[in-house]
Amino acid sequence: METLLDLGREYQNRFAALAPYRDAVWKVLVKGFFQNYIETNATVLDLGAGWGEFTRNIQAGRRIAMDLNPDMPARVGPGVETILQDCSQTWQLPDNSVDVIFTSNFFEHLLTKDALRRTLMEGLRCLKPGGRIIALGPNIRVLHGTYWDFWDHYLALSDRAMTEVLTLTGYSVERAVPRFLPYSMSLGLTPPVALVGLYLKLPFLWRFFGKQFLVVARKPFA
């Protein structure tokens, strides 16, 4: 069984050398794309926040980061509330308190499908009516065996599977993109940061280089 110490060590080994580059890329991704889904006065939860690249760069009225990684609170930056807990258990948040849940490259690390289902149900409870979940992750349909290059990938997910489980747990899916971003910076893919912004503006390129899905869904108003 993986320990919290193992989790911290994994992040260190996988991401430390690229930390400044990753932060610069996320700055472009947030400004050029994800901020469009998030009002600047919104309450945003970064689920599986890791080292907080998204959290640091998003403009929001209230920013919350949730992860089990013990290094997370020291990494996310000032002004961010932190929650260290298993996301498949009851969240330390009240009902109808969050405008947007964002999660990137996280759900595939959950141990079971039931853990994912319970996580999504907690998200539905905590989202305000009409609130969004934005889920980004590697797409098994286009990655095939490469999906398993990380030993801590447990769930094989695709845009179709993500759409289905969100629907089954009570969300209304409003956008599903099978191919969005390339796979992983931790595998050595480090294009110039300036090209990231250009890539976001040219969706036809996504069909060739995109290996991660993007699924956006809402909590119904009633």
Side-chain angles (χ1 to χ4, degrees), residues 181-194:
L181 295 181
Y183 185 25
S184 174
M185 286 178 276
S186 58
L187 290 177
L189 184 63
T190 56
V193 173

Side-chain angles (χ1 to χ4, degrees), residues 112-160:
T112 66
K113 289 184 176 182
D114 187 60
L116 175 55
R117 181 187 61 82
R118 285 185 280 121
T119 297
L120 291 176
M121 291 178 68
E122 275 300 293
L124 194 69
R125 176 184 69 79
C126 293
L127 278 174
K128 298 175 184 178
R132 283 191 174 105
I133 182 169
I134 303 168
L136 174 67
N139 192 336
I140 188 70
R141 288 206 293 131
V142 296
L143 283 166
H144 308 296
T146 310
Y147 193 88
W148 305 110
D149 282 353
F150 297 102
W151 81 278
D152 54 345
H153 281 190
Y154 293 95
L155 295 185
L157 297 172
S158 71
D159 57 301
R160 294 174 182 173

Side-chain angles (χ1 to χ4, degrees), residues 56-207:
R56 276 193 301 278
N57 289 296
I58 196 68
Q59 295 184 44
R62 182 185 180 195
R63 295 174 296 156
I64 308 167
M66 182 187 296
D67 205 300
L68 270 177
N69 188 337
D71 297 333
M72 181 268 286
R75 290 277 186 171
V76 293
V80 178
E81 301 171 42
T82 59
I83 301 174
L84 288 173
Q85 73 155 90
D86 179 347
C87 64
S88 67
Q89 303 301 313
T90 302
W91 293 2
Q92 300 167 38
L93 291 167
D95 296 358
N96 305 317
S97 60
V98 175
D99 293 293
V100 179
I101 296 169
F102 177 85
T103 184
S104 172
N105 289 255
F106 175 62
F107 286 153
E108 68 273 15
H109 298 281
L110 298 180
L111 297 180
T112 66
K113 289 184 176 182
D114 187 60
L116 175 55
R117 181 187 61 82
R118 285 185 280 121
T119 297
L120 291 176
M121 291 178 68
E122 275 300 293
L124 194 69
R125 176 184 69 79
C126 293
L127 278 174
K128 298 175 184 178
R132 283 191 174 105
I133 182 169
I134 303 168
L136 174 67
N139 192 336
I140 188 70
R141 288 206 293 131
V142 296
L143 283 166
H144 308 296
T146 310
Y147 193 88
W148 305 110
D149 282 353
F150 297 102
W151 81 278
D152 54 345
H153 281 190
Y154 293 95
L155 295 185
L157 297 172
S158 71
D159 57 301
R160 294 174 182 173
M162 200 70 238
T163 296
E164 185 172 47
V165 70
L166 283 165
T167 301
L168 290 172
T169 47
Y171 295 82
S172 176
V173 174
E174 62 179 17
R175 186 176 188 184
V177 181
R179 294 175 175 265
F180 180 45
L181 295 181
Y183 185 25
S184 174
M185 286 178 276
S186 58
L187 290 177
L189 184 63
T190 56
V193 173
L195 292 182
V196 177
L198 181 62
Y199 178 84
L200 291 174
K201 296 176 182 178
L202 300 173
F204 77 90
L205 291 177
W206 304 357
R207 298 196 301 265

Side-chain angles (χ1 to χ4, degrees), residues 16-80:
L18 290 174
Y21 176 79
R22 286 171 56 85
D23 199 67
V25 168
W26 272 102
K27 189 183 296 292
V28 174
L29 292 175
V30 168
K31 183 178 180 180
F33 190 86
F34 292 112
Q35 190 72 62
N36 295 327
Y37 284 98
I38 299 170
E39 300 289 341
T40 55
N41 62 347
T43 295
V44 178
L45 171 66
D46 187 357
L47 178 60
W51 281 2
E53 293 89 352
F54 171 83
T55 316
R56 276 193 301 278
N57 289 296
I58 196 68
Q59 295 184 44
R62 182 185 180 195
R63 295 174 296 156
I64 308 167
M66 182 187 296
D67 205 300
L68 270 177
N69 188 337
D71 297 333
M72 181 268 286
R75 290 277 186 171
V76 293
V80 178

